[in-house]
Amino acid sequence: MSTGTTHNPGLSSDTNHFPRSAPSDPAAPHVESATVVVDAASDRGPLTRLWESIGYDEINWTYTPTGRTLLNTFGELSPRPFLVRPHYVFCSGTGFGLPHWGSGNVYHEDADGNPSYDFTIADQTYDAIVGAGHHVLMEIAFTPRDLLPPEADELAVVPSPTVYSNYEAGAWAYPPRDYEKWRGLVAAHVQHCVERYGVAEVREWLFELWNEPDIFYWKGTPEQFCDLYRVTAEAVRSVLPDAKVGGPAVTGGGVEFLRTFLTYTSEHDVALDFVSFHTKGSAFTPWRVYGPTGGPAPEKQNPSTHKMLYEIRRMQRVVAEFPQYHGLPAVVDECDAGVPAHYSVYDNANFQFQNTEYYPVFQVKLFKKILDLNETETVTVEQATSWSFYFEGERYFEGTRAFLTAGGIEKPLLNAYRMVSRLGGRRLTATSDAMSPPADLDAGDGRSMGEEVDTLASADAAGRVGVLLWRHTDDQYHEDTRSTPVALRVENLPDGTYSLHHHRIDATHSNAHTAWRDLGSPQDPTPEQLAAVKARQGLEELEPARDVTVSGGTFAATVELPLPSVSLLVLEPR
């Protein structure tokens, strides 16, 4: 969707010394071997399930058959509901879904300016989310067409088949002309949800004003945004006094906007129950390459884990400047390796990582590093949302940031969520002598995360011990024909017999993309080819489950990790 601005979605210029994307370095060293030690008797506290959250732009694909199926798939991963955050619920329109656009079409005025509300599309959206067992993270945005201020007329565009008017081109980003009518809209919307889903359900939702108001999504001033937040929070709380309200959902560069917002809420005693912000790991240059279909990237570029972690930590520290907010959860409700979601390998070949085993391993690594930040920073991240869903009209393995490709085939990324969902509720102490050193992040000099072997371990009430092991580098082009041997020791286990389960994501396991590619990358696959691809889309075992005997309190094994790969080993007492 055209935005009528040259700003980059999801990014801002204030990213310290980090480039828009990380370069490749074919001479970078590999990890030759690693030792991982897990203390099964330790307890580092509850394992925050920060991955149980997704979001997406295309609100009108929530309730399609494919959208409902995907929501139900996430519902099967965990006994806990995911938080689901779609854009555009207040935008005017027909409800026809397009990439990076949508409309809930809730607000309308008659010729005399009297408001009326139509919740038809909103009901379909929230019915699908709640019906799959999830909670809504209600992004209260953007400005309905009938509430546009006069200055919205100044946004000049040339209408085209993909830009119907200046409204779709970005007029929705102007502040509403009448904050009291906005108050009425918000209150009516929340009241309708309470009546439809019940107080107990809606009490679990998060209510967030807007999206990335520090860039083109907001065409007003920071002061206007703060005033609108106060009106919005009051409207939500007027219906549900204990509703959880928050924001401001700034980009990773929105440091000063966040500080201004928190100063306002603290000085004016405005309700604030969570603080939200975003981070993106790359923005390839150029984003879109106009050339032969499927051509190579003009330059090999990559996501940067360090860029994402640096931005998250910087935002945690901004919140920590306000002592009254130290106990508030941080919600990183867009937390992604690349941007934008709807660009693909046909726009820039660097987006290929979104098809492959690179991406699920990246996500597992990122989750663990955020959990590490939570142990060193005052403010805790409780959600790290993958801004990913699916796209209608794709070719097979288009390369967009999505959990599904054409035909509802699951991409390897979804298996990362299957893996982490199997971790127990308590975090164990686990160390690796080949992890990326924290000092590299502290340097803040723009370097990306080099190759590492690292781990995350957990235990549950039944005595199961789960150990994630991965080998990864931010450089998606760095290859190694050799596997790295990892000496794993799980210590302080009760002696006895355990069932050992070993699941793996790599180029040849849990990877429908590789299966499709091995068939010649067909865009018109036969039913037999489709069946073969789908047979490889789920989380697969590296080896059949087997019994192992623990004597002397220690389980030891050597795990061979190709680059990139992630293993989940679960020791289950018999």
Side-chain angles (χ1 to χ4, degrees), residues 219-283:
K219 296 185 183 299
T221 66
E223 293 72 25
Q224 286 175 304
F225 179 85
C226 290
D227 288 340
L228 188 64
Y229 176 80
R230 176 182 56 78
V231 169
T232 303
E234 290 173 354
V236 174
R237 289 284 188 88
S238 71
V239 175
L240 194 63
D242 55 352
K244 303 168 189 172
V245 295
V250 292
T251 69
V255 172
E256 289 308 316
F257 197 105
L258 176 61
R259 188 174 284 119
T260 297
F261 173 79
L262 296 177
T263 299
Y264 179 91
T265 57
S266 60
E267 291 182 350
H268 293 81
D269 195 26
V270 179
L272 186 66
D273 300 297
F274 64 93
V275 179
S276 58
F277 48 85
H278 300 165
T279 183
K280 306 292 181 180
S282 61

Side-chain angles (χ1 to χ4, degrees), residues 16-141:
N16 201 45
H17 301 292
F18 288 95
R20 286 168 55 90
S21 303
S24 288
D25 181 6
H30 290 298
V31 175
E32 301 294 336
S33 64
T35 298
V36 170
V37 179
V38 178
D39 183 355
S42 64
D43 188 343
R44 293 171 67 169
L47 180 61
T48 303
R49 322 294 287 192
L50 47 78
W51 48 81
E52 292 180 347
S53 177
I54 61 169
Y56 43 92
D57 298 273
E58 296 79 16
I59 188 172
N60 303 109
W61 293 344
T62 304
Y63 46 85
T64 64
T66 302
R68 289 178 179 274
T69 297
L70 183 52
L71 289 171
N72 285 327
T73 298
F74 279 106
E76 295 164 0
L77 294 185
S78 170
R80 292 162 298 276
F82 274 57
L83 277 174
V84 181
R85 174 186 185 252
H87 273 346
Y88 299 120
V89 71
F90 282 175
C91 280
S92 303
T94 66
F96 184 74
L98 292 171
H100 211 296
W101 176 244
S103 53
N105 202 41
V106 172
Y107 184 85
H108 307 275
E109 291 185 6
D110 63 19
D112 297 323
N114 299 308
S116 63
Y117 311 113
D118 178 1
F119 298 111
T120 303
I121 295 173
D123 287 349
Q124 291 176 290
T125 301
Y126 299 152
D127 285 356
I129 294 171
V130 175
H134 305 304
H135 297 319
V136 177
L137 197 168
M138 185 189 290
E139 180 191 294
I140 301 174

